[in-house]
Amino acid sequence: MGKTLAQKIFDAHLIDTPAEGVSVLSLDRVFCHEITTPIAINDLVARGKDRVFDPTKIKAVIDHVTPSKDSKTAEQAKTLRDWARRNDIKDFFDIGENGVCHAIFPEKGFVRPGFTVIMGDSHTCTHGAFGAFAAGVGTTDLEVGILKGVCTMRAPETIKVNVTGTLPEGVYAKDVILSIIKMLTVNGATDKVIEFAGPVIDGFTMESRMTLCNMAIEAGGTCGCCYPDMVTVDYLWSFISKEFSSRAEALKEYSKWRPDDDAEYFKVIDFDVTTLEPVMTVNYKPDQVRTIREMEGTKVDQVYIGSCTNGRLEDLRIAASVLKGKRIAPNVRAIVSPATPLVFRQALAEGIIQIFMDAGFCVTNPTCGACLGMSNGVLANGEVCASTTNRNFNGRMGKGGMVHLMSPASAAATAIAGCIKNSPLYKG
Amino acid sequence: MKNFSGKILFLDRSDINTDEIIPAKYLTELTKEALKPYCLEDLNLPPFNPKTDVAGKSVIITRANFGCGSSREHAPWVLECNGINLVIAENFARIFRQNMFNCGLMAIQLSPEAIDDIFKTFAGGEAECSTDLDKLVFTISGSGVTKEYKFEVGKFDFELVKAGGWVDYADKKY
């Protein structure tokens, strides 16, 4: 019997099987941010083990609340900063160079096909877009990862989602993944890896693939994966050109990390997106999904475009194409957070930031803040936000607030209308 | 090993997420103990009142997919700070379950039928759970009724509980 993508990566990284079905894997990357890492750092210090397994494999960023908003967040940032310096972690991104972790780490070329990656952040599944195994973990797993370069995982079964047909104009990766979560439900993929495959995914950019894999956790998935192909190689080429004589050579090497044709799956789902419409979440669970059309006219107070789900250049371009020459409705305030400094620079160079500002958006620095109600766009009780983020849990963006998750195109159209509205890019 | 017996807090809903267990605004705390007052603060599940109903409880019994959402280990920590070292549910989100065992706490799965029976028999009144880790049996008593429920715990998970968590275990072995 053949192997799934995750099985191949597990086999290549297996260092121990402490019990049946439990694998201890060696790690290629341990990513860190300032919210979940400091308590691990403090514990290592208290244990007299203030060291790291390999400073070149650890990457760290201050992203959740940045610049720090108060003394506590300043202390968290300082803890991470001081630790990175004394342990010689060169790839540490501080104010001025920092961006949302799941956007900046791929952008720096840190994730490669076949890698094992952990981070103390549930949306670490994003990095599976490169054909890697990437999983969110808690602080204790992170601590052991930092110290020993290992992590324990139950051997995952895999759900394969074949995305077929032709995605209509104005319908995006966000609409696809929200629809898949609706099908799977919020724990339909618990302890499972999701492989996203099929012609629609083959045609997706790396940005769209990251949007897709980012939300695997919202169905309970351990990791969402796409297969490495020439799109992956092209995205990584500036980082790997010294390792390979040609792109074809790189593709050949990375193709090791595609599943076998006779791989065994827990479940295979075929999803034809030909008639898919733009969708959004309602209520407080990410599997509660309806079409934008059904919800049109619902008033919103805030629109937020950004996050590890939809804060990349592709997302900002799409939103700007809707916003160009328009103003947001007077009942709405709107915020855009380019996910990284590079996204910000490119958006400036392309005139996209100008379009957002002319439309009446507040442009913030790259940060996660608003998505989890920590800073830069927290909702008041009873307020409604149309958001390109990934969670609509009760209180997520502020106590008593309602979050409707949707694509950047839908969010931009909603900002202009002042209420939920399909974007003119969707002609359905 | 920690204590895994005591008064039960019944939370009769599936998909209770980590934002409900400990809201993100408290993730800026630098010690686990500082989280204590905020346990389940954003859980809107009447008549549950986080201010009065958490104190004195040692065991949570709930439905499916408990601990979904964020990876924050602050969720098990805030339970532990409040003396809750055991959660019994139909099933758990992966990261939360792993975080519990990594801290030497227990997240134990029972069948939907068993969970349903526990809710029907005991919820609504005061009930206690006595955990026998040798026989792998929960003895639940309340309202004049006592019932036993067998459970399973993975070999590796149990080793983590005995070792007091994953850091000590891994440091010795790898």
PDB file of all heavy atoms in Angstrom, chain B residues 113-138:
ATOM      1  N   GLU B 113     -22.626   7.637  24.254  1.00  0.00           N
ATOM      2  CA  GLU B 113     -23.693   7.019  25.063  1.00  0.00           C
ATOM      3  C   GLU B 113     -23.389   7.168  26.550  1.00  0.00           C
ATOM      4  O   GLU B 113     -24.281   7.491  27.351  1.00  0.00           O
ATOM      5  CB  GLU B 113     -23.841   5.532  24.713  1.00  0.00           C
ATOM      6  CG  GLU B 113     -24.321   5.246  23.292  1.00  0.00           C
ATOM      7  CD  GLU B 113     -23.251   5.489  22.227  1.00  0.00           C
ATOM      8  OE1 GLU B 113     -22.044   5.354  22.541  1.00  0.00           O
ATOM      9  OE2 GLU B 113     -23.609   5.850  21.085  1.00  0.00           O
ATOM     10  N   ALA B 114     -22.127   6.918  26.917  1.00  0.00           N
ATOM     11  CA  ALA B 114     -21.734   7.038  28.334  1.00  0.00           C
ATOM     12  C   ALA B 114     -21.866   8.483  28.803  1.00  0.00           C
ATOM     13  O   ALA B 114     -22.392   8.755  29.893  1.00  0.00           O
ATOM     14  CB  ALA B 114     -20.307   6.534  28.520  1.00  0.00           C
ATOM     15  N   ILE B 115     -21.398   9.410  27.969  1.00  0.00           N
ATOM     16  CA  ILE B 115     -21.492  10.840  28.330  1.00  0.00           C
ATOM     17  C   ILE B 115     -22.963  11.218  28.504  1.00  0.00           C
ATOM     18  O   ILE B 115     -23.343  11.902  29.465  1.00  0.00           O
ATOM     19  CB  ILE B 115     -20.825  11.717  27.235  1.00  0.00           C
ATOM     20  CG1 ILE B 115     -19.312  11.484  27.201  1.00  0.00           C
ATOM     21  CG2 ILE B 115     -21.146  13.193  27.451  1.00  0.00           C
ATOM     22  CD1 ILE B 115     -18.519  12.066  28.340  1.00  0.00           C
ATOM     23  N   ASP B 116     -23.776  10.763  27.569  1.00  0.00           N
ATOM     24  CA  ASP B 116     -25.203  11.070  27.629  1.00  0.00           C
ATOM     25  C   ASP B 116     -25.824  10.513  28.919  1.00  0.00           C
ATOM     26  O   ASP B 116     -26.614  11.186  29.584  1.00  0.00           O
ATOM     27  CB  ASP B 116     -25.886  10.457  26.400  1.00  0.00           C
ATOM     28  CG  ASP B 116     -27.068  11.284  25.965  1.00  0.00           C
ATOM     29  OD1 ASP B 116     -26.936  12.523  25.960  1.00  0.00           O
ATOM     30  OD2 ASP B 116     -28.127  10.694  25.669  1.00  0.00           O
ATOM     31  N   ASP B 117     -25.428   9.292  29.261  1.00  0.00           N
ATOM     32  CA  ASP B 117     -25.931   8.660  30.482  1.00  0.00           C
ATOM     33  C   ASP B 117     -25.507   9.462  31.721  1.00  0.00           C
ATOM     34  O   ASP B 117     -26.315   9.670  32.632  1.00  0.00           O
ATOM     35  CB  ASP B 117     -25.407   7.220  30.570  1.00  0.00           C
ATOM     36  CG  ASP B 117     -26.018   6.466  31.743  1.00  0.00           C
ATOM     37  OD1 ASP B 117     -27.255   6.279  31.716  1.00  0.00           O
ATOM     38  OD2 ASP B 117     -25.283   6.114  32.681  1.00  0.00           O
ATOM     39  N   ILE B 118     -24.278   9.921  31.721  1.00  0.00           N
ATOM     40  CA  ILE B 118     -23.797  10.723  32.860  1.00  0.00           C
ATOM     41  C   ILE B 118     -24.619  12.009  32.982  1.00  0.00           C
ATOM     42  O   ILE B 118     -25.075  12.377  34.071  1.00  0.00           O
ATOM     43  CB  ILE B 118     -22.294  11.055  32.719  1.00  0.00           C
ATOM     44  CG1 ILE B 118     -21.459   9.775  32.799  1.00  0.00           C
ATOM     45  CG2 ILE B 118     -21.854  12.053  33.792  1.00  0.00           C
ATOM     46  CD1 ILE B 118     -19.977   9.972  32.505  1.00  0.00           C
ATOM     47  N   PHE B 119     -24.832  12.670  31.857  1.00  0.00           N
ATOM     48  CA  PHE B 119     -25.616  13.911  31.910  1.00  0.00           C
ATOM     49  C   PHE B 119     -27.037  13.645  32.406  1.00  0.00           C
ATOM     50  O   PHE B 119     -27.557  14.364  33.246  1.00  0.00           O
ATOM     51  CB  PHE B 119     -25.628  14.607  30.535  1.00  0.00           C
ATOM     52  CG  PHE B 119     -24.483  15.572  30.351  1.00  0.00           C
ATOM     53  CD1 PHE B 119     -23.351  15.205  29.648  1.00  0.00           C
ATOM     54  CD2 PHE B 119     -24.524  16.849  30.919  1.00  0.00           C
ATOM     55  CE1 PHE B 119     -22.280  16.080  29.496  1.00  0.00           C
ATOM     56  CE2 PHE B 119     -23.461  17.731  30.781  1.00  0.00           C
ATOM     57  CZ  PHE B 119     -22.332  17.347  30.057  1.00  0.00           C
ATOM     58  N   LYS B 120     -27.648  12.587  31.857  1.00  0.00           N
ATOM     59  CA  LYS B 120     -29.040  12.288  32.237  1.00  0.00           C
ATOM     60  C   LYS B 120     -29.142  11.916  33.703  1.00  0.00           C
ATOM     61  O   LYS B 120     -30.114  12.276  34.387  1.00  0.00           O
ATOM     62  CB  LYS B 120     -29.582  11.144  31.367  1.00  0.00           C
ATOM     63  CG  LYS B 120     -30.017  11.634  30.006  1.00  0.00           C
ATOM     64  CD  LYS B 120     -30.738  10.543  29.213  1.00  0.00           C
ATOM     65  CE  LYS B 120     -31.109  11.062  27.840  1.00  0.00           C
ATOM     66  NZ  LYS B 120     -30.874  10.063  26.798  1.00  0.00           N
ATOM     67  N   THR B 121     -28.130  11.181  34.209  1.00  0.00           N
ATOM     68  CA  THR B 121     -28.204  10.682  35.575  1.00  0.00           C
ATOM     69  C   THR B 121     -27.798  11.734  36.608  1.00  0.00           C
ATOM     70  O   THR B 121     -28.409  11.826  37.673  1.00  0.00           O
ATOM     71  CB  THR B 121     -27.296   9.442  35.735  1.00  0.00           C
ATOM     72  OG1 THR B 121     -27.512   8.576  34.630  1.00  0.00           O
ATOM     73  CG2 THR B 121     -27.609   8.704  37.032  1.00  0.00           C
ATOM     74  N   PHE B 122     -26.760  12.520  36.278  1.00  0.00           N
ATOM     75  CA  PHE B 122     -26.145  13.334  37.337  1.00  0.00           C
ATOM     76  C   PHE B 122     -26.208  14.848  37.141  1.00  0.00           C
ATOM     77  O   PHE B 122     -26.125  15.591  38.127  1.00  0.00           O
ATOM     78  CB  PHE B 122     -24.673  12.934  37.503  1.00  0.00           C
ATOM     79  CG  PHE B 122     -24.487  11.486  37.878  1.00  0.00           C
ATOM     80  CD1 PHE B 122     -24.062  10.555  36.943  1.00  0.00           C
ATOM     81  CD2 PHE B 122     -24.749  11.059  39.172  1.00  0.00           C
ATOM     82  CE1 PHE B 122     -23.887   9.223  37.289  1.00  0.00           C
ATOM     83  CE2 PHE B 122     -24.578   9.728  39.526  1.00  0.00           C
ATOM     84  CZ  PHE B 122     -24.150   8.807  38.574  1.00  0.00           C
ATOM     85  N   ALA B 123     -26.309  15.328  35.893  1.00  0.00           N
ATOM     86  CA  ALA B 123     -26.228  16.771  35.693  1.00  0.00           C
ATOM     87  C   ALA B 123     -27.438  17.437  36.325  1.00  0.00           C
ATOM     88  O   ALA B 123     -28.511  16.851  36.427  1.00  0.00           O
ATOM     89  CB  ALA B 123     -26.142  17.097  34.207  1.00  0.00           C
ATOM     90  N   GLY B 124     -27.269  18.655  36.751  1.00  0.00           N
ATOM     91  CA  GLY B 124     -28.382  19.363  37.383  1.00  0.00           C
ATOM     92  C   GLY B 124     -28.281  19.329  38.893  1.00  0.00           C
ATOM     93  O   GLY B 124     -28.792  20.212  39.577  1.00  0.00           O
ATOM     94  N   GLY B 125     -27.585  18.308  39.440  1.00  0.00           N
ATOM     95  CA  GLY B 125     -27.369  18.259  40.886  1.00  0.00           C
ATOM     96  C   GLY B 125     -25.878  18.250  41.185  1.00  0.00           C
ATOM     97  O   GLY B 125     -25.055  18.339  40.282  1.00  0.00           O
ATOM     98  N   GLU B 126     -25.561  18.132  42.460  1.00  0.00           N
ATOM     99  CA  GLU B 126     -24.150  18.008  42.853  1.00  0.00           C
ATOM    100  C   GLU B 126     -23.695  16.576  42.589  1.00  0.00           C
ATOM    101  O   GLU B 126     -24.421  15.632  42.894  1.00  0.00           O
ATOM    102  CB  GLU B 126     -24.009  18.323  44.336  1.00  0.00           C
ATOM    103  CG  GLU B 126     -24.295  19.770  44.676  1.00  0.00           C
ATOM    104  CD  GLU B 126     -23.081  20.468  45.278  1.00  0.00           C
ATOM    105  OE1 GLU B 126     -22.383  19.826  46.079  1.00  0.00           O
ATOM    106  OE2 GLU B 126     -22.838  21.629  44.915  1.00  0.00           O
ATOM    107  N   ALA B 127     -22.515  16.426  42.007  1.00  0.00           N
ATOM    108  CA  ALA B 127     -22.008  15.076  41.754  1.00  0.00           C
ATOM    109  C   ALA B 127     -20.493  15.060  41.914  1.00  0.00           C
ATOM    110  O   ALA B 127     -19.830  16.080  41.725  1.00  0.00           O
ATOM    111  CB  ALA B 127     -22.391  14.629  40.348  1.00  0.00           C
ATOM    112  N   GLU B 128     -19.986  13.883  42.281  1.00  0.00           N
ATOM    113  CA  GLU B 128     -18.541  13.727  42.451  1.00  0.00           C
ATOM    114  C   GLU B 128     -18.031  12.593  41.591  1.00  0.00           C
ATOM    115  O   GLU B 128     -18.743  11.622  41.338  1.00  0.00           O
ATOM    116  CB  GLU B 128     -18.206  13.420  43.922  1.00  0.00           C
ATOM    117  CG  GLU B 128     -18.370  14.634  44.802  1.00  0.00           C
ATOM    118  CD  GLU B 128     -17.487  14.588  46.042  1.00  0.00           C
ATOM    119  OE1 GLU B 128     -16.398  13.970  45.971  1.00  0.00           O
ATOM    120  OE2 GLU B 128     -17.885  15.175  47.055  1.00  0.00           O
ATOM    121  N   CYS B 129     -16.794  12.731  41.143  1.00  0.00           N
ATOM    122  CA  CYS B 129     -16.142  11.676  40.364  1.00  0.00           C
ATOM    123  C   CYS B 129     -14.937  11.163  41.147  1.00  0.00           C
ATOM    124  O   CYS B 129     -14.095  11.949  41.578  1.00  0.00           O
ATOM    125  CB  CYS B 129     -15.697  12.232  39.015  1.00  0.00           C
ATOM    126  SG  CYS B 129     -14.764  11.060  38.026  1.00  0.00           S
ATOM    127  N   SER B 130     -14.879   9.844  41.322  1.00  0.00           N
ATOM    128  CA  SER B 130     -13.711   9.240  41.953  1.00  0.00           C
ATOM    129  C   SER B 130     -12.985   8.427  40.891  1.00  0.00           C
ATOM    130  O   SER B 130     -13.579   7.561  40.247  1.00  0.00           O
ATOM    131  CB  SER B 130     -14.178   8.351  43.117  1.00  0.00           C
ATOM    132  OG  SER B 130     -13.101   7.580  43.565  1.00  0.00           O
ATOM    133  N   THR B 131     -11.723   8.751  40.657  1.00  0.00           N
ATOM    134  CA  THR B 131     -10.981   8.146  39.546  1.00  0.00           C
ATOM    135  C   THR B 131     -10.015   7.087  40.060  1.00  0.00           C
ATOM    136  O   THR B 131      -9.146   7.388  40.880  1.00  0.00           O
ATOM    137  CB  THR B 131     -10.203   9.243  38.782  1.00  0.00           C
ATOM    138  OG1 THR B 131     -11.144  10.217  38.346  1.00  0.00           O
ATOM    139  CG2 THR B 131      -9.462   8.672  37.586  1.00  0.00           C
ATOM    140  N   ASP B 132     -10.184   5.869  39.562  1.00  0.00           N
ATOM    141  CA  ASP B 132      -9.289   4.775  39.925  1.00  0.00           C
ATOM    142  C   ASP B 132      -8.356   4.515  38.739  1.00  0.00           C
ATOM    143  O   ASP B 132      -8.770   3.976  37.708  1.00  0.00           O
ATOM    144  CB  ASP B 132     -10.111   3.519  40.252  1.00  0.00           C
ATOM    145  CG  ASP B 132      -9.226   2.398  40.791  1.00  0.00           C
ATOM    146  OD1 ASP B 132      -8.037   2.334  40.393  1.00  0.00           O
ATOM    147  OD2 ASP B 132      -9.723   1.601  41.605  1.00  0.00           O
ATOM    148  N   LEU B 133      -7.092   4.920  38.891  1.00  0.00           N
ATOM    149  CA  LEU B 133      -6.148   4.819  37.778  1.00  0.00           C
ATOM    150  C   LEU B 133      -5.577   3.407  37.619  1.00  0.00           C
ATOM    151  O   LEU B 133      -4.963   3.111  36.598  1.00  0.00           O
ATOM    152  CB  LEU B 133      -5.008   5.827  37.958  1.00  0.00           C
ATOM    153  CG  LEU B 133      -5.388   7.293  37.720  1.00  0.00           C
ATOM    154  CD1 LEU B 133      -4.216   8.205  38.032  1.00  0.00           C
ATOM    155  CD2 LEU B 133      -5.860   7.523  36.286  1.00  0.00           C
ATOM    156  N   ASP B 134      -5.769   2.537  38.607  1.00  0.00           N
ATOM    157  CA  ASP B 134      -5.327   1.149  38.459  1.00  0.00           C
ATOM    158  C   ASP B 134      -6.363   0.345  37.685  1.00  0.00           C
ATOM    159  O   ASP B 134      -6.049  -0.379  36.753  1.00  0.00           O
ATOM    160  CB  ASP B 134      -5.092   0.511  39.839  1.00  0.00           C
ATOM    161  CG  ASP B 134      -3.972   1.238  40.581  1.00  0.00           C
ATOM    162  OD1 ASP B 134      -2.985   1.602  39.916  1.00  0.00           O
ATOM    163  OD2 ASP B 134      -4.120   1.480  41.790  1.00  0.00           O
ATOM    164  N   LYS B 135      -7.630   0.504  38.096  1.00  0.00           N
ATOM    165  CA  LYS B 135      -8.701  -0.246  37.423  1.00  0.00           C
ATOM    166  C   LYS B 135      -9.240   0.493  36.192  1.00  0.00           C
ATOM    167  O   LYS B 135     -10.037  -0.053  35.434  1.00  0.00           O
ATOM    168  CB  LYS B 135      -9.846  -0.497  38.401  1.00  0.00           C
ATOM    169  CG  LYS B 135      -9.472  -1.448  39.540  1.00  0.00           C
ATOM    170  CD  LYS B 135     -10.659  -1.659  40.459  1.00  0.00           C
ATOM    171  CE  LYS B 135     -10.283  -2.541  41.633  1.00  0.00           C
ATOM    172  NZ  LYS B 135     -11.176  -2.335  42.789  1.00  0.00           N
ATOM    173  N   LEU B 136      -8.840   1.758  36.010  1.00  0.00           N
ATOM    174  CA  LEU B 136      -9.338   2.604  34.924  1.00  0.00           C
ATOM    175  C   LEU B 136     -10.879   2.698  34.961  1.00  0.00           C
ATOM    176  O   LEU B 136     -11.573   2.363  33.993  1.00  0.00           O
ATOM    177  CB  LEU B 136      -8.851   2.119  33.565  1.00  0.00           C
ATOM    178  CG  LEU B 136      -7.315   2.089  33.395  1.00  0.00           C
ATOM    179  CD1 LEU B 136      -6.927   1.594  32.014  1.00  0.00           C
ATOM    180  CD2 LEU B 136      -6.678   3.461  33.629  1.00  0.00           C
ATOM    181  N   VAL B 137     -11.347   3.155  36.095  1.00  0.00           N
ATOM    182  CA  VAL B 137     -12.790   3.311  36.298  1.00  0.00           C
ATOM    183  C   VAL B 137     -13.086   4.666  36.951  1.00  0.00           C
ATOM    184  O   VAL B 137     -12.404   5.061  37.896  1.00  0.00           O
ATOM    185  CB  VAL B 137     -13.341   2.179  37.200  1.00  0.00           C
ATOM    186  CG1 VAL B 137     -14.782   2.486  37.634  1.00  0.00           C
ATOM    187  CG2 VAL B 137     -13.293   0.839  36.486  1.00  0.00           C
ATOM    188  N   PHE B 138     -14.067   5.363  36.406  1.00  0.00           N
ATOM    189  CA  PHE B 138     -14.625   6.529  37.089  1.00  0.00           C
ATOM    190  C   PHE B 138     -15.845   6.073  37.881  1.00  0.00           C
ATOM    191  O   PHE B 138     -16.726   5.419  37.316  1.00  0.00           O
ATOM    192  CB  PHE B 138     -15.115   7.599  36.097  1.00  0.00           C
ATOM    193  CG  PHE B 138     -14.041   8.172  35.216  1.00  0.00           C
ATOM    194  CD1 PHE B 138     -14.181   8.153  33.826  1.00  0.00           C
ATOM    195  CD2 PHE B 138     -12.905   8.765  35.754  1.00  0.00           C
ATOM    196  CE1 PHE B 138     -13.207   8.697  33.004  1.00  0.00           C
ATOM    197  CE2 PHE B 138     -11.926   9.324  34.933  1.00  0.00           C
ATOM    198  CZ  PHE B 138     -12.083   9.279  33.551  1.00  0.00           C
TER     199      PHE B 138
END
